Structure formats: C-alpha cells, structure tokens
Amino acid sequence: MDKTIAFLVAPEGVEQVELTEPWKAVKQAGGTPKLVSTGAGQVQGFNHLDRADTFAVDATVDQVSAADFDGLVLPGGVANPDFLRTVPQAVAFAKGFFDAGKPVAAICHAPWTLIEADVVRGRTVTSWPSLRTDLRNAGATWEDREVVVCTGGPNKLVTSRKPDDLKAFCQATVDAFG
C-alpha cells in the first residue's frame, strides 16, 4: 500500500491506543501515516482518563485538504471527537474525504465528527454504544458489531466500537485503504 493516510485528532483527548494501533497497521502495510490536528506542535494522548504520550503534529487542518491524502482515520476517546466536531475546519476536512469518495475509518466516539459533517445518513455503522441514538438520529443504521464496513455511500466507511475491536478495525482499515 503506497498511500498517505491522515489521522485527524484534537490537541488532547485522543485515546492513545486508537491512534497508535491503526498507525502501526498503516505503516506495516507500507503506507505513510500523517498526524493532522487543529493546532501545531504536539497532541496529548490519553489512556482512558489518564495522560499518556505526546505526538508531533505533521500538519494542521488549515494547511491540508482531503486531496492531499488517500484516506482518513478518526481515532476515538471522548474528548477528542467532541472537540473536533466544534471546529468547522476539522469537520470540513473530514467531510472532504466523503465528497472525494476516499475511505474513512472511525472508532469508538469518533463518529461524532462524522455526525457533525452530516455524512452518516443512510450508512450502516457501529460505535461506542452511547453514540447509538446520536447516529440513528443522524440517519445511520447502527449495529453492535466489532467492525462494520459500509460501502453503501460515496466511499468505504469502516467503524468499530472500542479498543477491544482494534485487531478487526486495523485489518478492515488497511483493506479499505489498500
């Protein structure tokens, strides 16, 4: 896979393992992951509610567009997508992948950003269970499965529920980007 994949995260609050495991999977498949955020510098990862490692930002959402990448990964954590959905440039960046027909993978609470972008209507998805009603209200069909790959739209959309689903999520993500 000779592809460049954007990982969109907020300055803090990303669930670290939901960033690092898909990142490793993309690299192992021969892809080039790039960390995109709303601000330059470093982002703060979390292990649930505890601070974890920091990661260097490669680009900010005002410096790039979906045209610069072959796919998008949206890691979860509660605070991460909750912040991203309040930043119009981050929402527009995510929406750009749908408009361009490029694959997107979102895990845990990350579909909040996709709800804000109005791109889940008519799609079949999964997520952390607390987003079920939000996704249904946004027009999606929600299923309780470790990974859902939806091809019923302009692009492939891969979703998973939680860190326990990362093995299946990473495989489906790499397959979608491949």
Side-chain angles (χ1 to χ4, degrees):
M1 172 174 76
D2 186 21
K3 309 272 176 119
T4 302
I5 307 301
F7 283 69
L8 176 61
V9 300
E12 68 176 4
V14 65
E15 185 69 32
Q16 183 163 310
V17 71
E18 294 176 0
L19 169 63
T20 58
E21 289 303 305
W23 186 282
K24 280 191 253 180
V26 166
K27 284 187 81 165
Q28 288 172 349
T32 303
K34 297 287 184 181
L35 190 60
V36 178
S37 189
T38 57
Q42 302 277 320
V43 297
Q44 177 67 60
F46 278 77
N47 293 326
H48 192 52
L49 299 175
D50 298 323
R51 288 185 183 276
D53 299 323
T54 58
F55 302 89
V57 172
D58 294 308
T60 59
V61 291
D62 60 343
Q63 298 171 325
V64 294
S65 74
D68 299 318
F69 301 96
D70 299 297
L72 172 66
V73 174
L74 294 167
V78 178
N80 175 49
D82 191 47
F83 176 80
L84 289 176
R85 67 183 175 161
T86 68
V87 179
Q89 286 178 307
V91 173
F93 179 70
K95 186 178 185 309
F97 286 84
F98 288 80
D99 293 344
K102 295 181 179 183
V104 173
I107 187 167
C108 198
H109 288 78
W112 267 339
T113 305
L114 301 180
I115 290 168
E116 192 64 32
D118 194 25
V119 294
V120 297
R121 188 172 318 282
R123 305 303 295 264
T124 300
V125 298
T126 193
S127 67
W128 184 256
S130 66
L131 275 68
R132 174 181 54 236
T133 300
D134 296 340
L135 284 159
R136 286 180 178 157
N137 287 342
T141 299
W142 188 87
E143 296 181 354
D144 186 12
R145 297 189 318 180
E146 73 177 351
V147 67
V148 173
V149 179
C150 179
T151 57
N155 63 341
K156 285 186 184 175
L157 175 58
V158 178
T159 52
S160 281
R161 302 170 300 189
K162 57 189 173 185
D164 289 347
D165 299 336
L166 275 165
K167 184 176 180 183
F169 178 73
C170 289
Q171 184 61 57
T173 296
V174 167
D175 291 348
F177 294 155

